Amino acid sequence: MDPNLQYWQSNGQSFLSRLRLWFKILDPSSVLSSQAEIEQARVLLQNEGQTQRKEKVANAWLLSLSSVHPDTGGLISPVFRSQVFLPISAPLVVASLIPHKGIKPALFWQFLLQAYCAGFNHSNRNATATKDNKTSMKQSILIVGTVAYSTFAGALPQIILKRFRLLGAVAETFSRSLLPIPLSACLAAFSVMVVRSEEADNGIRVFDSNGNAIGVSAAAGSKAIKETALSRAALFGTTAAVPTLLLALLKRAKFVQRNPMIIAPVRHISTAIIFGLMIPVSFSLFPQFGKIKKESLEEEFQSLDSNQELFYHRGL
């Protein structure tokens, strides 16, 4: 089993421990580390039993967890590493949630956001599923379809405003304030479920408590997808909901009524802050090295020791 999975198994079973760890992993400066530095960190971890400074080992773990895929052992593309998720996606989220004057700007920003999210979901998936040319082609089609569908669905509030102007204030309130909340959550979950659907089709590796791979399970793959989809829905749904609630409260204040120009900056800043705070929280909702009951797996696993806990890599 990859050292990254061993680390998550021993250090990431409680929400608070995962949250503290994610706050450290999400340091954007580590993305500047070269491939040689990452390889040196991996070598250092393999020789951890020898005399090394604890601080040096701790930094090596953070670099490995943020840069190396735990299933393949290969480097994750710097653009799709967890520590750059906030700097890249935050401007896209803010731009996609602001009211646009036309449909084309809404489609443009939704396309950038959905394309990046699909790439991030694919790069950080559980990569143990069997692959061949047919699977790769199917996965490419699913990713393109997901981006196209999510782009148009994400621009739905703007489309409603343009096409149904006669509804007046009711349509505007619904489209600008209410619809983006469930829509953002559903599209985020939808992207995870479709992009990573091969895990439910082909299965992912299941491990025993000692870290030994004992088989491949589609049930574990489905559970990994479901948990990640829920965490992503919480991230984007909360990011859309909290600034909307904050603005609704601020609009009642006399100071804001006298200075309506302050609303736009508050919307942008609050969206970015909530999104940034929710990233480590959403990543921590479920363990990276999750547990699953033997009874929930396929028949071939039922002959195992009934007291044995089984584990799987959830992905991100």
Side-chain angles (χ1 to χ4, degrees):
M1 184 169 63
D2 187 87
N4 284 3
L5 293 181
Q6 293 177 346
Y7 190 89
W8 280 116
Q9 182 181 20
S10 58
N11 295 276
Q13 290 306 314
S14 72
F15 172 77
L16 290 179
S17 64
R18 294 192 298 270
L19 186 61
R20 286 194 297 267
L21 186 55
W22 273 118
F23 269 112
K24 297 177 182 178
I25 293 175
L26 293 172
D27 177 10
S29 63
S30 61
V31 78
L32 301 176
S33 302
S34 65
Q35 182 174 348
E37 291 174 322
I38 297 172
E39 291 175 352
Q40 289 176 1
R42 297 281 284 183
V43 172
L44 177 65
L45 297 178
Q46 292 175 359
N47 302 321
E48 189 179 350
Q50 300 178 8
T51 56
Q52 286 119 0
R53 290 185 303 171
K54 289 184 178 181
E55 181 182 355
K56 192 173 183 180
V57 173
N59 292 334
W61 273 118
L62 295 178
L63 186 56
S64 176
L65 292 170
S66 62
S67 307
V68 180
H69 198 290
D71 293 321
T72 64
L75 295 183
I76 302 172
S77 171
V79 179
F80 296 120
R81 291 177 190 172
S82 56
Q83 61 267 47
V84 296
F85 185 67
L86 173 61
I88 293 179
S89 59
L92 303 181
V93 171
V94 172
S96 66
L97 289 175
I98 63 175
H100 294 284
K101 294 183 178 180
I103 296 176
K104 289 183 180 179
L107 289 172
F108 173 75
W109 288 109
Q110 281 293 334
F111 171 75
L112 293 181
L113 175 62
Q114 301 302 336
Y116 180 75
C117 287
F120 183 86
N121 294 335
H122 184 261
S123 297
N124 292 277
R125 72 198 187 284
N126 185 304
T128 61
T130 304
K131 284 188 173 182
D132 52 32
N133 291 333
K134 287 185 178 180
T135 304
S136 299
M137 179 63 69
K138 176 184 175 183
Q139 196 65 24
S140 299
I141 294 173
L142 286 174
I143 292 174
V144 173
T146 300
V147 174
Y149 176 83
S150 299
T151 296
F152 284 98
L156 188 61
Q158 192 64 41
I159 294 174
I160 291 176
L161 281 176
K162 280 291 182 181
R163 300 301 180 190
F164 302 98
R165 288 180 178 176
L166 295 178
L167 296 179
V170 175
E172 184 171 355
T173 301
F174 175 75
S175 299
R176 293 194 188 281
S177 302
L178 300 179
L179 183 58
I181 298 173
L183 190 62
S184 298
C186 290
L187 289 179
F190 172 77
S191 179
V192 173
M193 295 177 70
V194 177
V195 170
R196 293 181 52 177
S197 60
E198 65 174 348
E199 297 171 36
D201 296 336
N202 301 331
I204 61 176
R205 274 202 303 259
V206 177
F207 303 88
D208 60 19
S209 57
N210 296 319
N212 301 313
I214 58 175
V216 175
S217 169
S222 297
K223 189 171 185 288
I225 295 172
K226 180 181 178 181
E227 291 175 344
T228 306
L230 288 174
S231 68
R232 207 72 90 242
L235 169 61
F236 283 87
T238 304
T239 300
V242 174
T244 299
L245 179 60
L246 177 63
L247 287 176
L249 296 174
L250 285 177
K251 287 179 180 178
R252 298 180 180 180
K254 293 182 179 179
F255 172 77
V256 176
Q257 292 175 356
R258 291 194 301 266
N259 302 275
M261 296 293 291
I262 200 175
I263 293 178
V266 170
R267 178 192 290 115
H268 305 339
I269 295 172
S270 62
T271 299
I273 292 175
I274 296 301
F275 185 70
L277 293 175
M278 277 300 298
I279 287 177
V281 173
S282 65
F283 286 0
S284 305
L285 290 179
F286 300 97
Q288 284 299 105
F289 201 62
K291 298 179 183 179
I292 188 168
K293 294 181 179 180
K294 183 194 70 173
E295 292 76 12
S296 303
L297 300 178
E298 293 81 351
E299 287 187 15
E300 65 247 40
F301 296 96
Q302 302 308 313
S303 59
L304 297 173
D305 183 1
S306 60
N307 295 324
Q308 194 176 35
E309 283 186 322
L310 300 180
F311 300 86
Y312 61 92
H313 171 224
R314 178 175 66 85
L316 186 62

